[in-house]
Amino acid sequence: MSVPLLLTVLAGGATFIGAIFGVLGQKPSNRMLAFALGFAAGIMLLISLMEMLPTALRTEGISPILGYGMFMLGLLGYFALDRLLPHQHPQDLMAAQRQPAKLRRTAILLTLGISLHNFPEGVATYVTASSDMELGLGIALAVAIHNIPEGLAVAGPMYAATGSKSKALFWACVSGMAEILGGVLAFLLLGPLMSPVVIAAVMAAVAGIMVALSVDELMPLAREIDPHNNPSYGVLCGMTVMGASLALLQVSDLS
């Protein structure tokens, strides 16, 4: 298995960690979840805007129109997809007093929505790691952090509706597998086409997806989970840690 594909599998597998929290009933505190989501958003924003997009634009054969056009395609494409999908969060489902049948149906719809969200994240992780392993590690880390509350979002309501831990874990794994499927398809379809221009164009689109995911999903969700604390602290910490790690890696490469 290639390293980029392995990173995609590990990032998608983090959904299982959240699922375990969901079936054990030992949910991390809202403050911790919110900080983790902000931290992941900070990593994604810094990598997307400071590394991925500039790298794509510097690639020979990529015009500014193509580079920024692909960035906007990823950005607007994510927003369009996001508006078409079911959109509920774990605290909404667990706080509401619902009948088991309705709760189960909602959890399945949520699984579908999260799975469709996860698919482009798998592509993003694979493509980024294929182009630059350092950036790929950062994206994989951010996606993995983001996937933990998603696993909780699926497993918690499903367990509450069915009382079956195995079913809850199964549906959570389905949502995580969508991300792995995205990486596998990217490996199969993009592998033969991995020219510098194609990689740069896809990377610009992925940067747009990551920015949209951060500002439209992670940061608002962090604020919603913990309204008493500012998610910007997590964002700034994520940017600082990721920026420092990239700087150290670049310095070590020069020495």
Side-chain angles (χ1 to χ4, degrees), residues 65-222:
I65 293 177
L66 177 59
Y68 285 115
M70 292 300 293
F71 176 80
M72 293 304 299
L73 179 65
L75 190 73
L76 298 177
Y78 180 91
F79 278 118
L81 181 65
D82 188 61
R83 296 301 178 266
L84 296 174
L85 299 178
H87 210 73
Q88 285 181 291
H89 297 140
Q91 69 277 16
D92 300 327
L93 295 172
M94 298 307 293
Q97 296 298 321
R98 297 172 181 262
Q99 296 178 359
K102 291 183 178 180
L103 189 59
R104 183 175 184 274
R105 178 179 178 275
T106 301
I108 292 175
L109 288 175
L110 183 65
T111 302
L112 173 63
I114 289 178
S115 297
L116 293 175
H117 274 96
N118 282 348
F119 185 84
E121 292 174 10
V123 176
T125 304
Y126 176 80
V127 170
T128 306
S130 297
S131 175
D132 189 315
M133 189 57 64
E134 295 172 6
L135 298 184
L137 285 170
I139 289 293
L141 174 62
V143 170
I145 293 173
H146 167 48
N147 281 344
I148 292 175
E150 286 189 348
L152 175 66
V154 173
M158 184 61 71
Y159 182 45
T162 65
S164 171
K165 293 182 179 180
S166 60
K167 288 183 179 179
L169 292 174
F170 169 77
W171 285 105
C173 288
V174 167
S175 66
M177 284 299 296
E179 190 161 306
I180 297 172
L181 179 61
V184 170
L185 288 181
F187 171 73
L188 295 176
L189 299 179
L190 295 178
L193 303 175
M194 279 295 187
S195 68
V197 173
V198 171
I199 291 176
V202 175
M203 185 179 292
V206 167
I209 292 172
M210 294 293 100
V211 170
L213 174 64
S214 299
V215 301
D216 185 56
E217 179 75 14
L218 300 187
M219 294 171 66
L221 180 54

Side-chain angles (χ1 to χ4, degrees), residues 221-246:
L221 180 54
R223 185 69 175 181
E224 186 178 341
I225 289 176
D226 186 14
H228 303 296
N229 289 285
N230 193 337
S232 299
Y233 298 136
V235 175
L236 292 175
C237 286
M239 285 184 166
T240 301
V241 171
M242 196 69 239
S245 63
L246 288 174

